[in-house]
């Protein structure tokens, strides 16, 4: 595989998913980049914006096994990971795998479950394995978690702890569609589109799991010059010095930025990372890893504002300016 | 009055047939003097002290080189040897054209040869404040220049001031490359790119091509260059110019492949980019050249002519051979006040006793003022010859009449006047007296050289040229003593030259006097064009400073946010419940430590609520106070707080 093949496959996959998820091209590409970078994604948006549809369409297009967990306050960790059940017939405990044993896991409304249950995903997301009763079991390869959360509701929700948030490579925000996009969606429905039956619109599997793994392998060949690494470090370092930020991004964020930038470079048909790749992905990679000072929050500053400011100030390498 | 010094003694006799009428006339016209107001020894010491200063290189510097235009003053060198030892040697070197120039001399040539010419002369009439402003402005400009250069030299350090200070000093980290001054001109970048490519440095050439295109687009207002902007952003900024966008995109693709990828820069890539960029960049340069050429034509056509017209009348006030600074310094050391007259000659102050005019190109009105000054009793010395005014005074210059040796006429050789003082000047012209009322002060080859005459209550002194007042002349013989004696009766001496009348009453007049109007108009037009073109702001736009004062409620809200983020609602409820229970007891059963049941009863009575309901709320409050019971925060905590708040409000109402 070379950068051209990678880019072609990427575009085909993005085009195919965009057939089902109208007007969300950037979101689709970001999710694909995260998957290719072996990262997990947190999608934030109000209900009804097609978050679940996006994940279902994606699983369809890449041919990965897909399971969904609806997070609720009474969800237990074993409901996620699975657990040992006593088999009366055999008179022994039998491990019943939970829904986490899949290639593409949709954790819907992840912030509705308490921290204990959310933490059940920590090991799965970091090590791609599950430990139950002292036995560690590997998860399928590839394994991705795509979680969703509603930013509006706060009653009865449990904000994800920083350690959990840091495990997500990207946090993608989905916004209301434009009028034109919304009209197109209506026209789709007029023509019989049913999100529950994606096969009916002829959605194809354009990338197999094997190809997906091949694409992930290819990313190791994408170059990132020293100046690009300096640029990434500079951006992340600035999050630790900004007056509005209480807790800056971790080194895991820097690593995530590098991997994601490589995936974006390959998706553009390049075998080298350019500053544009870094700058384009920095908001998605950094926004959920920053803890703002209460003062800044009170003034209406968001982490997106801070990241944008940092990107406006961090000097780009080898610029003509 | 200074004119007294010119007077002749009654016994004075004419010693030349060309001035046969002078003694009688002078005797009648001028009052008889008592004595010259100068001490020859004191003047000699003053001159020696002044020229011993290093400023007078022609007297002190063994390597001094005589300017070509000053070589005719070298005839005075021998007579100046005692006071000015190096002058003779300098003149000897100047007179020997075959003398080989040593490497040392060659190195000093540009320093010494024009030292006196390049010296900045500030007219002494300029006030102290003006001088201070002048030097402050000059120093500020220099400091600004140094800062600007320093900033340009270290842009990388400036741009990254906030690199994490907490990161350990990494010895393996490559040092920041020091960037030189940043080239911002697109055409020069293009030329540099070509030259780099010609040397085989295609990587540098590609960078310059890329920079040239971006600079061109920036100057055209199509993009805004910034150190934090990426190439992709520049490309997107050109979405309304598809042709340029395509060019930039392809350029960026090639350049980035070399900068960040594994591709090597090659002549093929360089030529491909050059072909697409050169026509775009050159078009802009052509326009700029046209504008730069057209503007001067539009605004400043006669500027050069005016400068050339006055160029001959410049007076050298330096400390070189032909300079005139020694005259004013010697007079000042002898107690006279010497001023360069900057103000116009329209109103000459009464304190002025003598005026020396070095400017033969005065306007008629100015000449009239000078003559009026003399008529009222002042002494007017005409250091340079002006045919029209000389005719008016009754003298005329005749060429090659003088070998340089001057003899004072008998009337001036008395003990009370100049005695046996000897004068020496350069060979050249002399004067002819055409008005019988005038008389000679000094003769050269029996021809009048220095001529005096009466004007009303005052007098004039005329010279064929100003050589007798030059620095070279004043260190020779008794020339300095002669001038000090001649002018010694005037307490204030003013020097009139091209600068006179240059002072302005209004800023517009000052601008006009300095002939800067065309330049300023050009600058204003350029600013106008730049404004219409770019609408550029001056400086970096900033938001107004944010006021950090907040209402108390906002602080409380901020604290609430912190508690909420920490999910510490139970802690808040505990504190709040305790406070509410205390308030309720204070209101309903003050001074008693009543039971919860009694308190619930009192609250129910006051509010009209059911006692059971009140008891439930109070029990929840007391449970929240119990720190031995650990419980996680829950949304119910907020509702308990609200119920407690309601109880507090209801019990606080008037019954």
């Amino acid at each position: 595989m070379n950068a051209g093949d990678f880019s072609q496959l990427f575009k085909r996959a993005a085009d195919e998913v965009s057939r089902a998820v109208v007007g969300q091209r950037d979101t689709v590409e970001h999710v694909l980049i995260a998957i290719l970078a072996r990262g997990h994604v947190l999608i934030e948006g109000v209900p009804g914006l097609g978050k679940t549809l996006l994940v279902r369409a994606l699983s369809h297009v890449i041919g990965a096994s897909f399971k969904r967990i609806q997070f609720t306050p009474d969800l237990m960790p074993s409901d996620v990971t699975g657990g040992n059940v006593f088999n009366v017939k055999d008179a022994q405990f039998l491990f019943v795998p939970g829904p986490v044993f899949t290639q593409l896991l949709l954790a819907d409304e992840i912030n509705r479950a308490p921290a204990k249950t959310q933490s059940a995903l920590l090991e799965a997301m970091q090590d791609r394995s599950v430990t139950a009763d002292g036995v560690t079991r590997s998860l399928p390869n590839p394994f991705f978690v795509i979680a969703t959360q509603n930013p509006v509701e706060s009653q009865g929700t449990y904000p994800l702890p920083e350690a959990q948030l840091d495990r997500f490579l990207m946090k993608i925000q989905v916004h209301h569609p434009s009028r034109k996009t919304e009209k197109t969606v209506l026209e789709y429905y007029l023509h019989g589109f049913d999100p529950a039956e994606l096969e009916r619109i002829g959605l194809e599997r354009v990338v197999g799991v094997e190809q997906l793994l091949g694409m992930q392998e290819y990313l190791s060949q994408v170059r990132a010059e020293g100046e690009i690494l300096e640029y990434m470090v500079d951006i992340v370092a600035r999050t630790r010095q900004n007056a509005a930020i209480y807790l800056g991004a971790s080194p895991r964020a820097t690593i995530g930025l590098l991997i994601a930038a490589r995936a974006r470079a390959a998706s553009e048909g390049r075998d080298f990372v350019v500053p544009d790749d870094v700058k384009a992905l920095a908001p998605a990679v950094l926004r959920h890893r920053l803890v703002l000072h209460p003062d800044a929050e009170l003034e209406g500053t968001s982490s997106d504002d801070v990241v944008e400011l940092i990107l406006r100030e961090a000097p780009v390498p080898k610029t003509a300016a | 009055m200074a004119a007294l010094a010119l007077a002749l003694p009654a016994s004075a006799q004419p010693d030349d047939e060309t001035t046969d009428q002078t003694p009688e006339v002078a005797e009648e016209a001028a009052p008889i003097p008592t004595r010259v107001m100068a001490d020859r020894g004191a003047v000699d010491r003053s001159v020696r002290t002044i020229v011993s200063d290093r400023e007078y290189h022609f007297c002190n510097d063994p390597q001094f080189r005589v300017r070509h235009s000053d070589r005719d003053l070298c005839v005075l060198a021998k007579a100046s040897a005692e006071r000015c030892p190096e002058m003779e040697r300098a003149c000897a070197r100047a007179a020997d054209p075959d003398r080989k120039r040593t490497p040392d001399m060659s190195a000093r040539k540009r320093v010494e040869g024009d030292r006196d010419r390049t010296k900045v002369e500030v007219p002494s009439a300029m006030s102290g404040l003006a001088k201070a402003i002048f030097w402050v402005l000059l120093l500020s400009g220099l400091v600004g220049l140094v800062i600007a250069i320093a900033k340009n030299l270290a842009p990388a350090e400036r741009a990254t001031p906030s690199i994490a200070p907490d990161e350990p000093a990494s010895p393996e980290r490559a040092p920041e490359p020091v960037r030189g001054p940043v080239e911002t001109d697109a055409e020069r970048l293009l030329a540099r790119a070509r030259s780099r490519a010609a040397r085989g440095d295609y990587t540098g050439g590609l960078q310059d091509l890329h920079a040239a295109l971006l600079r061109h687009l920036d100057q055209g207002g199509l993009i805004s260059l910034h150190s934090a902007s990426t190439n992709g952003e520049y490309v997107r900024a050109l979405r309304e110019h598809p042709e340029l966008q395509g060019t930039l995109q392809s350029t960026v693709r090639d350049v980035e492949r070399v900068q960040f990828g594994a591709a090597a820069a090659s002549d093929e890539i360089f030529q491909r980019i050059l072909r697409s960029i050169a026509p775009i960049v050159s078009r802009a340069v052509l326009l700029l050249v046209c504008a730069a050429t057209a503007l001067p034509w539009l605004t400043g056509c006669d500027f050069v002519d005016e400068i050339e017209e006055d160029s001959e009348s410049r007076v050298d006030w330096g400390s070189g051979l032909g300079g005139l600074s020694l005259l004013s310094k010697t007079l000042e050391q002898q107690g006279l006040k010497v001023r360069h007259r900057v103000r116009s000659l329209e109103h000459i102050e009464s304190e002025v006793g003598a005026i020396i005019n070095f400017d033969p190109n005065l306007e008629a009105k100015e000449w009239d003022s000078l003559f009026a000054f003399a008529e009222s009793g002042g002494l007017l010395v005409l250091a340079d010859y002006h045919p029209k005014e000389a005719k008016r005074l009754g003298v005329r210059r005749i060429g090659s009449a003088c070998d340089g040796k001057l003899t004072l006429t008998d009337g001036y050789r008395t003990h009370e006047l100049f005695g046996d003082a000897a004068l020496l000047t350069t060979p050249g012209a002399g004067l002819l007296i055409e008005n019988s009322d005038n008389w000679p002060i000094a003769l050269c080859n029996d021809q009048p050289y220095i001529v005096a005459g009466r004007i009303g209550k005052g007098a004039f002194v005329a010279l064929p040229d100003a050589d007798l007042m030059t620095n070279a002349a004043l260190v020779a013989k008794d020339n300095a003593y002669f001038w000090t004696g001649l002018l010694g009766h005037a307490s204030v001496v003013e020097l009139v030259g091209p600068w006179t009348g240059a002072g302005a009453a209004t800023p517009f007049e000052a601008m006009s006097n300095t002939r800067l109007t065309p330049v300023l108009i050009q600058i204003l037009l350029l600013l106008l064009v730049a404004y219409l073109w770019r609408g550029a702001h001056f400086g970096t736009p900033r938001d107004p400073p944010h006021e950090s004062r907040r209402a108390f409620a906002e602080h409380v809200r901020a604290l609430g946010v912190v508690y909420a983020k920490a999910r510490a609602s139970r802690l808040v409820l505990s504190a709040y419940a305790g406070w509410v229970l205390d308030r309720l007891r204070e209101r309903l059963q003050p001074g008693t430590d009543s039971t919860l049941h009694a308190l619930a009863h009192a609250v129910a009575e006051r509010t009209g609520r059911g006692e059971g309901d009140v008891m439930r709320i109070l029990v929840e409050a007391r449970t929240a106070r119990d720190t031995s019971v650990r419980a996680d925060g829950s949304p119910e905590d907020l509702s308990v707080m609200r119920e407690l708040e309601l109880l507090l409000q209801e019990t606080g109402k008037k019954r």
Side-chain angles (χ1 to χ4, degrees), chain A residues 164-286:
Chain A
Q164 180 83 35
L165 283 170
D166 207 23
R167 260 66 177 187
F168 287 102
L169 176 65
M170 290 185 199
K171 178 181 176 183
I172 298 166
Q173 288 175 327
V174 185
H175 302 286
H176 284 293
S178 65
R179 292 170 66 96
K180 187 180 168 188
T181 304
E182 204 158 354
K183 191 181 167 198
T184 309
V185 172
L186 293 182
E187 285 168 357
Y188 266 54
Y189 276 81
L190 272 181
H191 288 89
F193 173 73
D194 183 358
E197 296 179 33
L198 294 174
E199 295 79 6
R200 283 185 60 186
I201 60 167
L203 214 59
E204 290 179 16
R205 199 183 81 173
V206 295
V207 183
V209 169
E210 290 303 316
Q211 275 179 311
L212 189 71
L213 293 174
M215 289 169 84
Q216 287 178 338
E217 284 297 315
Y218 173 74
L219 293 187
S220 61
Q221 295 173 37
V222 176
R223 292 167 60 102
E225 290 287 305
E227 284 161 314
I228 296 289
L229 303 183
E230 285 280 346
Y231 183 49
M232 293 175 185
V233 170
D234 183 27
I235 290 171
V236 175
R238 281 167 188 260
T239 67
R240 297 166 196 156
Q241 294 163 345
N242 194 291
I245 296 177
Y246 173 68
L247 184 66
S250 64
R252 187 184 280 138
T254 323
I255 297 165
L257 195 55
L258 171 64
I259 300 169
R262 282 174 128 180
R264 186 180 186 270
S267 75
E268 300 267 328
R270 279 182 274 108
D271 60 356
F272 53 90
V273 178
V274 297
D276 267 310
D277 299 324
V278 180
K279 206 167 182 178
L281 294 173
V285 174
L286 296 178

Side-chain angles (χ1 to χ4, degrees), chain B residues 570 626-633:
Chain B
R570 195 69 181 173
D626 188 358
T627 51
S628 64
V629 179
R630 288 186 59 83
D632 291 335

Side-chain angles (χ1 to χ4, degrees), chain B residues 5 11-12 40 59 197 204 277 294 331 348 482 484 489 492 548 587 654:
Chain B
S11 59
R40 188 188 288 192
C59 281
I277 283 179
L331 293 176
I348 297 172
F482 171 73
T484 311
H489 289 267
V492 178
S548 60
R587 284 179 184 173
K654 286 183 181 176

Side-chain angles (χ1 to χ4, degrees), chain B residues 56-241:
Chain B
Y56 290 88
H57 297 276
F58 70 94
C59 281
N60 304 298
D61 191 341
Q63 302 296 331
F64 182 78
R65 287 177 62 80
V66 179
R67 248 167 34 190
H68 186 75
S69 59
D70 288 343
R71 284 187 181 173
D72 53 345
L73 293 169
C74 279
V75 297
L76 304 167
K78 202 166 186 178
S80 310
E82 193 188 346
R83 294 184 185 120
C84 197
E86 296 300 334
M87 180 175 163
E88 191 175 6
R89 283 190 277 276
C91 285
R93 284 196 299 274
D96 182 7
D98 297 329
R99 192 167 182 272
K100 286 181 181 174
R101 188 181 300 155
T102 64
D104 180 45
M105 287 176 65
S106 169
R108 294 178 69 88
K109 180 188 173 189
R110 63 178 178 277
V111 179
E112 304 297 343
D114 289 334
R115 184 167 287 169
D116 52 339
R117 186 195 294 273
T118 55
K119 182 175 170 58
V120 176
E121 277 294 327
V122 182
S124 62
M126 190 181 275
S127 70
L129 180 64
K131 281 183 185 175
I133 292 172
F134 171 78
W135 286 113
V136 165
L137 287 174
L138 190 65
L139 287 173
S140 307
L142 283 173
V143 169
L145 190 66
V146 169
I147 290 172
I149 291 170
K151 280 184 175 176
N152 262 328
L153 284 175
E157 291 157 36
R158 214 167 15 96
T160 55
S162 53
I163 291 291
D166 53 341
E167 66 181 354
S170 48
E172 72 278 6
R173 185 175 164 179
E176 289 279 342
V178 178
R179 290 176 66 180
V182 178
E183 179 58 76
T184 57
D185 182 81
E187 181 67 12
R188 280 202 293 270
L189 281 166
L190 205 59
R192 195 169 75 180
R194 286 192 176 106
S195 120
R196 281 182 163 182
R199 291 199 307 269
D201 178 13
Y202 293 113
T203 308
L206 281 179
Q207 278 175 6
D208 281 345
L209 285 181
H210 178 216
L213 180 57
L214 289 181
R215 290 280 170 196
H216 160 70
L217 295 171
D218 178 54
Q219 284 153 15
L222 298 172
I223 63 171
S224 180
L225 270 186
H226 191 274
S227 61
S229 296
T230 61
N231 289 323
E233 286 168 325
Y234 296 139
V235 171
R236 286 191 288 278
L238 288 173
R239 65 173 67 87
E240 290 177 11
H241 307 271

Side-chain angles (χ1 to χ4, degrees), chain A residues 28-43:
Chain A
V28 170
E29 288 189 358
H30 272 64
V31 172
L32 273 173
I33 285 170
I35 286 174
L36 291 167
R38 302 174 205 244
H40 310 289
V41 182
L42 176 63
I43 301 177

